[in-house]
Amino acid sequence: MITRISLRGWKSHIDSELEFSKGVNAIIGIMGSGKTSIMDAVSFALYGTFPALQSKKITINDLIMRKPQKKTKAEIGLDFLVNGSTYSIKKVIEADKGTTLAEIRKDGKLLDVNPANVTRQVEAVLQMDYDLFSRAVYSEQNGLDYFLRVPKGQRMEQIDGMLKVDRFEDAREASVSLSNKISSTMKEKARLVSQLEKEMLADRILNLGNEIESIKEEAKPIKERIRILKNEQISLSQKLSGFEKLESESNKLNRELQGVKSAINELSSSLKNKREDIKGKDSADVTKQLGAMEEQIKTTEEEIRRKRDLLTEQKNHIASVDTRIDLIDSGIEELQKLAARCPVCDSPITDEKKQVLIKSRKSERKSLDISLHDFQDRIITLSNDIQSLEKRLRQVISEREKLVHLSSDLKLIHEWEKRLEENQIRRSETETKLAFLEEQLSETNVKDLRTELQEKTAEERGLEVRLNSIREKIMDREEMLRDLMQRNKLLEDYRSEVMHDGKAIDSLQAFVKALKATQDQLREEFLKTVNKIMAVVWNELYPYADFTGIQLIIDKDYVLQLKGSEGWISVDGIASGGERSMACLALRIAFSLSFIPNLRWLILDEPTHNLDSNAISQFVEVLREKMPSFTEQVFLITHDERISEGVQGVQGALYRLDRNKNEDGATQVKRWE
């Protein structure tokens, strides 16, 4: 049940709020007072559209108030009850932006946002989409006879869509299409099966397999002979390898022997020359002389160091004496310049005292000059001694170097003598080995072995050529066999697929029949329900006795009929607009109760269009007395004052809408109590 709607800036509504209840909720006003826009707002809040917007007769911007005030946005609030819970929807649209806010709440708790999600929530709660709402609940202005305005031949499609039977039709068509595709494919596979069966694949596979086995038997003795030849070649190769190693070792020993002999000759010549160079020299004497020279060098070096230390000491004495002489000379010069008083103690000083002091300083300087001369003489003597010692040291070192070379030559001679002895031993051993190898080689004819090995190798190669030819023949036959087996497998696969496709076609055809039976059953049940409801509604709604019944039948398409004195006639052929409207109203009520029995809503916009005064009176009576038994909540949009007078006091709400159209005024909403 819809309990409240608020409109701000929506078409001619600046700020309108209406509360609804069970029963008949009538909204009455002159043309253009804003009645229909309220029901459009209900549809927009629930589904984001309504008939005029969906058909693009108007745009979103047309929904925002332009006069008497130009607004930039419009806002809708809608509350409704389902199964004891209150649902609240809020939507805001802005010029050139569309819906900028959409939310739905359940008992104050936010469920979802954005237009698409809100619509999905509404569809889940109401169990009804927009198409069903617009055809079974919401009869737009002058749209009560919507069913009759649908061309014949298209009504079944429309009602099947409301029943969701069109999904069965889609499934049936898809199944038929799939069955046809499978049938076409199956025929092609059957043709291929017939073609492959003519190739006698099984017999050809058997014959080719036997031929391959025969060729393999032909190859067996050749393989065995090749195996024997390989073993014989290995044996001969091993023998030849042994003798070739002996030959190689013999050649190596010959080369080694020549090298040893050459080394012996070279060492003998070198030893002879060295011995002549050091004739009469003994290693022990040389070592003794080297020891004595090392001691002499050490003693001389120590003496040189001692003399150098003395020389340094004398030079230090000279430096000290030079410093003292400089001080004395400076002191004498200062005494000569000295005035009558001592610059240190400021005591008086006489000329006689100055002369005494100067004389004393000169006497000391003379003594120092003598000492300086003695030190210089000593330095000259020490320098000469050092030079003499260094010269003698160089001579001894030179002699020592000669002895060192001599000692090295003696050692070298000793080493050469040792090497000469070793080479002579090696020569003897090599000559013995070489004699043994030459004796072994002379006992075997290596040439015969090589010839035999070449013959075995040539025979093996010839057999390998024959074997390769046989292998190629086998590979060729095996390739043919694989191709035949693949084609035979293809044949078996096609046979299996043809059988499977046949079963699939049978299943699809049974499925199509089941879908068709389900469609027919659903339509039949739908007709029973609708006709049962219309029979009750018609007796209460129609005020005359010329038509005593109403029914909806299927005659290639849906046909609405009335029962007159001459039987059932189609409503499409009735001239009276009132009778058509009454029949369509009964059908609309039946649709509402059939499709959405849990809601039992009905929205009627100008339902009395084309009705005479008697029919209107009867309609008002139905609204007052019978409508609550048909539906829980009715919204009635009308400009007919007779209806407003007739529904006063009925359960529900009655609103009057006023608007000064001459001044493009806003809608004024007034509730009648």
Side-chain angles (χ1 to χ4, degrees):
M1 179 179 69
I2 298 173
T3 59
R4 185 190 68 88
I5 188 168
S6 62
L7 306 173
R8 292 180 178 83
W10 177 269
K11 291 190 175 180
S12 62
H13 294 267
I14 290 182
D15 188 0
S16 300
E17 183 166 334
L18 296 87
E19 294 182 353
F20 307 115
S21 63
K22 290 183 179 180
V24 178
N25 295 273
I27 301 173
I28 302 169
I30 63 172
M31 181 178 63
S33 60
K35 306 184 301 297
T36 299
S37 61
I38 294 174
M39 292 299 104
D40 288 343
V42 170
S43 179
F44 188 83
L46 293 173
Y47 298 104
T49 189
F50 53 87
L53 182 62
Q54 189 179 45
S55 62
K56 297 183 180 180
K57 294 178 181 177
I58 60 174
T59 66
I60 287 285
N61 285 352
D62 295 329
L63 304 178
I64 302 172
M65 176 178 277
R66 295 176 180 174
K67 294 179 180 181
Q69 299 178 17
K70 184 174 179 59
K71 301 289 186 179
T72 59
K73 67 179 182 179
E75 181 179 326
I76 303 173
L78 181 70
D79 297 340
F80 60 94
L81 289 171
V82 175
N83 297 328
S85 295
T86 299
Y87 293 86
S88 300
I89 297 174
K90 181 179 180 180
K91 287 187 176 180
V92 175
I93 59 174
E94 296 185 42
D96 301 323
K97 294 182 180 180
T99 304
T100 56
L101 173 68
E103 65 177 34
I104 181 171
R105 297 176 182 272
K106 179 181 180 181
D107 297 328
K109 183 180 178 181
L110 183 65
L111 286 182
D112 220 326
V113 295
N114 86 46
N117 291 347
V118 169
T119 298
R120 278 194 288 271
Q121 290 286 348
V122 168
E123 290 174 346
V125 171
L126 300 182
Q127 299 179 7
M128 172 174 59
D129 59 16
Y130 172 73
D131 286 341
L132 185 56
F133 174 80
S134 63
R135 294 170 186 171
V137 176
Y138 182 22
S139 171
E140 63 176 318
Q141 187 173 7
N142 298 325
L144 190 63
D145 61 345
Y146 165 79
F147 176 80
L148 297 181
R149 286 191 276 116
V150 176
K152 288 183 179 181
Q154 298 180 18
R155 294 172 183 174
M156 183 169 288
E157 180 182 353
Q158 295 279 340
I159 295 178
D160 281 354
M162 296 167 68
L163 284 169
K164 308 303 180 186
V165 176
D166 55 339
R167 298 177 183 177
F168 291 92
E169 183 62 24
D170 292 341
R172 192 179 68 82
E173 290 177 359
S175 299
V176 171
S177 176
L178 179 59
S179 177
N180 292 336
K181 288 180 180 178
I182 294 174
S183 177
S184 176
T185 304
M186 186 180 71
K187 288 178 181 178
E188 176 60 21
K189 290 176 182 177
R191 185 187 66 79
L192 292 172
V193 167
S194 176
Q195 183 177 334
L196 288 170
E197 285 175 343
K198 293 177 182 178
E199 296 182 13
M200 306 293 290
L201 293 171
D203 293 342
R204 291 170 64 188
I205 288 171
L206 180 62
N207 293 336
L208 197 56
N210 292 335
E211 184 181 353
I212 291 171
E213 290 301 319
S214 175
I215 296 172
K216 287 181 178 178
E217 288 297 323
E218 181 185 346
K220 285 182 179 178
I222 297 174
K223 289 181 179 179
E224 179 61 22
R225 179 58 184 163
I226 289 174
R227 185 188 66 78
I228 293 171
L229 287 172
K230 284 184 180 294
N231 290 335
E232 291 176 349
Q233 288 177 73
I234 290 170
S235 176
L236 289 170
S237 296
Q238 288 174 345
K239 289 180 181 179
L240 277 173
S241 177
F243 288 117
E244 286 172 352
K245 285 181 180 178
L246 290 175
E247 285 182 339
S248 175
E249 191 174 351
S250 175
N251 293 332
K252 180 181 177 182
L253 287 172
N254 273 315
R255 290 193 298 273
E256 186 176 335
L257 183 60
Q258 294 301 321
V260 169
K261 288 179 179 180
S262 175
I264 289 172
N265 292 333
E266 185 177 347
L267 286 171
S268 297
S269 175
S270 298
L271 280 171
K272 182 179 179 182
N273 294 331
K274 280 291 181 186
R275 284 172 180 156
E276 289 178 355
D277 292 338
I278 59 172
K279 190 179 294 183
K281 302 293 182 180
D282 183 75
S283 178
D285 291 340
V286 170
T287 303
K288 185 177 180 181
Q289 290 178 15
L290 277 172
M293 284 185 177
E294 291 292 343
E295 185 63 29
Q296 186 179 357
I297 289 169
K298 181 179 179 182
T299 303
T300 304
E301 287 176 342
E302 289 177 354
E303 181 66 17
I304 290 171
R305 282 195 294 272
R306 190 181 66 79
K307 293 285 186 182
R308 284 176 176 165
D309 290 342
L310 289 173
L311 180 62
T312 302
E313 183 181 345
Q314 295 302 315
K315 288 180 178 180
N316 290 337
H317 285 316
I318 289 175
S320 177
V321 170
D322 284 338
T323 302
R324 181 61 185 161
I325 289 172
D326 290 339
L327 289 173
I328 290 172
D329 289 342
S330 176
I332 292 171
E333 186 177 355
E334 287 178 357
L335 284 171
Q336 288 174 347
K337 295 178 181 179
L338 192 62
R341 304 189 71 84
C342 178
V344 178
C345 60
D346 198 31
S347 61
I349 186 169
T350 62
D351 288 338
E352 289 83 2
K353 190 175 182 178
K354 281 199 298 183
Q355 290 302 322
V356 170
L357 290 172
I358 291 171
K359 185 177 179 181
S360 173
R361 297 287 192 280
K362 287 182 178 180
S363 174
E364 184 181 358
R365 188 184 190 290
K366 184 176 179 181
S367 176
L368 289 172
D369 284 340
I370 293 170
S371 295
L372 182 62
H373 182 71
D374 290 341
F375 287 140
Q376 289 174 344
D377 289 343
R378 290 175 191 164
I379 285 173
I380 291 170
T381 301
L382 286 170
S383 296
N384 291 333
D385 290 346
I386 289 170
Q387 288 179 1
S388 177
L389 286 169
E390 287 177 341
K391 181 177 180 183
R392 186 170 65 186
L393 179 62
R394 286 193 295 273
Q395 291 173 349
V396 173
I397 289 172
S398 176
E399 291 175 3
R400 184 190 64 177
E401 291 297 324
K402 291 178 181 178
L403 285 175
V404 168
H405 287 303
L406 182 60
S407 176
S408 298
D409 288 343
L410 288 171
K411 289 180 181 179
L412 185 61
I413 287 171
H414 178 71
E415 290 176 1
W416 284 356
E417 287 174 345
K418 186 177 180 181
R419 285 171 57 192
L420 180 61
E421 183 180 355
E422 290 173 351
N423 281 323
Q424 287 172 343
I425 293 170
R426 280 181 62 200
R427 180 179 65 181
S428 176
E429 292 174 349
T430 303
E431 287 174 344
T432 302
K433 288 181 182 179
L434 189 58
F436 176 75
L437 289 175
E438 287 177 348
E439 182 179 355
Q440 283 186 309
L441 289 170
S442 64
E443 293 176 355
T444 304
N445 191 340
V446 178
K447 184 177 181 182
D448 291 344
L449 287 176
R450 288 196 177 106
T451 301
E452 186 178 357
L453 180 60
Q454 289 173 357
E455 290 173 352
K456 300 287 185 184
T457 303
E459 184 181 356
E460 184 206 353
R461 287 175 180 170
L463 291 174
E464 285 287 357
V465 170
R466 285 182 59 194
L467 187 60
N468 286 336
S469 176
I470 291 172
R471 285 172 180 158
E472 289 177 0
K473 188 183 295 184
I474 291 173
M475 289 174 62
D476 181 58
R477 298 299 188 277
E478 287 177 340
E479 180 66 28
M480 292 170 61
L481 181 61
R482 281 193 294 272
D483 181 63
L484 289 175
M485 291 179 72
Q486 286 177 357
R487 293 179 67 79
N488 192 58
K489 184 179 182 304
L490 188 63
L491 172 60
E492 295 301 324
D493 290 345
Y494 280 157
R495 282 173 177 165
S496 176
E497 289 173 9
V498 166
M499 185 179 297
H500 181 269
D501 289 348
K503 291 179 180 179
I505 290 171
D506 292 341
S507 297
L508 284 170
Q509 289 175 347
F511 181 60
V512 168
K513 290 178 180 178
L515 287 173
K516 183 67 169 62
T518 303
Q519 284 178 294
D520 293 342
Q521 185 177 358
L522 285 172
R523 292 189 184 109
E524 183 179 347
E525 292 298 325
F526 168 70
L527 287 177
K528 287 180 181 179
T529 303
V530 168
N531 287 329
K532 183 178 179 181
I533 295 170
M534 284 198 301
V536 175
V537 171
W538 184 255
N539 289 332
E540 301 294 340
L541 189 64
Y542 190 65
Y544 303 107
D546 54 340
F547 292 111
T548 58
I550 186 171
Q551 68 175 5
L552 185 67
I553 67 168
I554 297 177
D555 182 13
K556 296 182 181 179
D557 198 0
Y558 285 102
V559 179
L560 184 62
Q561 294 181 333
L562 291 175
K563 187 177 183 181
S565 58
E566 297 180 358
W568 293 98
I569 60 173
S570 172
V571 174
D572 294 286
I574 297 175
S576 169
E579 292 165 348
R580 288 168 59 92
S581 296
M582 279 295 189
C584 289
L585 179 58
L587 181 63
R588 175 72 69 164
I589 294 171
F591 275 6
S592 176
L593 297 179
S594 298
F595 285 112
I596 45 174
N598 58 319
L599 289 179
R600 301 177 69 198
W601 291 356
L602 192 62
I603 300 174
L604 302 173
D605 194 347
E606 300 292 357
T608 58
H609 178 69
N610 291 330
L611 298 185
D612 59 23
S613 59
N614 191 27
I616 292 174
S617 297
Q618 182 67 22
F619 177 67
V620 169
E621 181 66 21
V622 170
L623 288 176
R624 290 177 59 87
E625 305 297 335
K626 304 296 183 181
M627 192 61 76
S629 64
F630 299 150
T631 183
E632 182 179 14
Q633 189 176 41
V634 177
F635 293 92
L636 181 62
I637 310 297
T638 183
H639 66 278
D640 196 325
E641 294 292 340
R642 291 171 292 180
I643 293 180
S644 66
E645 295 170 359
V647 297
Q648 286 186 14
V650 177
Q651 182 185 14
L654 178 60
Y655 287 95
R656 177 178 290 279
L657 272 57
D658 292 320
R659 180 176 174 233
N660 188 344
K661 295 177 64 178
N662 293 328
E663 297 180 2
D664 289 323
T667 297
Q668 302 296 319
V669 179
K670 181 179 179 181
R671 180 167 183 168
W672 287 6
E673 301 297 338

